[in-house]
């Protein structure tokens, strides 16, 4: 008998689920990821926004850290690079 574990929905397929409840199963149902160790997706229907995604210069919290600011943005270059 396989042990059951909790799986949560990953609606946008970015590997980061919305941690708002899940299902117990032996294997991951389609569209889910294991809940254990998962980080909450701040934008569960936008695949480009997830924890550690990297911040872009667009006035949106892309990396789910609660801030729109970063020391370096993915879509800009520093002068001299």
């Amino acid at each position: 008998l396989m042990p059951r574990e909790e799986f949560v929905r990953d609606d946008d397929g970015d590997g980061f689920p919305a941690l708002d409840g899940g299902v117990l199963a032996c294997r991951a149902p389609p569209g889910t990821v294991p809940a254990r160790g998962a980080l909450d997706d701040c934008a569960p229907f936008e695949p480009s926004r997830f924890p550690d995604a990297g911040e872009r210069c667009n006035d949106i919290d892309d990396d789910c850290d609660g801030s729109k600011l970063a020391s370096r943005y993915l879509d800009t270059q520093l002068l001299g690079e």
Side-chain angles (χ1 to χ4, degrees), residues 16-58:
F16 293 89
L19 298 179
D20 58 359
V23 62
L24 289 176
C26 295
R27 292 191 176 100
T32 67
V33 295
R36 185 176 352 116
L39 298 174
D40 194 24
D41 192 342
C42 63
F45 299 102
E46 297 181 48
S48 65
R49 294 179 57 208
F50 53 86
D52 298 326
E55 205 65 74
R56 290 186 296 276
C57 190
N58 59 5

Side-chain angles (χ1 to χ4, degrees), residues 1 8 11 13 15-16 21 25-27 30 33 37 39 44-45 47-49 53 63 66 68-69 72 74 77-78:
L1 236 153
V8 287
D11 293 312
F16 293 89
C26 295
R27 292 191 176 100
V33 295
L39 298 174
F45 299 102
S48 65
R49 294 179 57 208
D63 61 2
K68 299 174 187 177
L69 303 175
R72 182 180 171 102
L74 291 178
Q77 289 184 349
L78 296 176

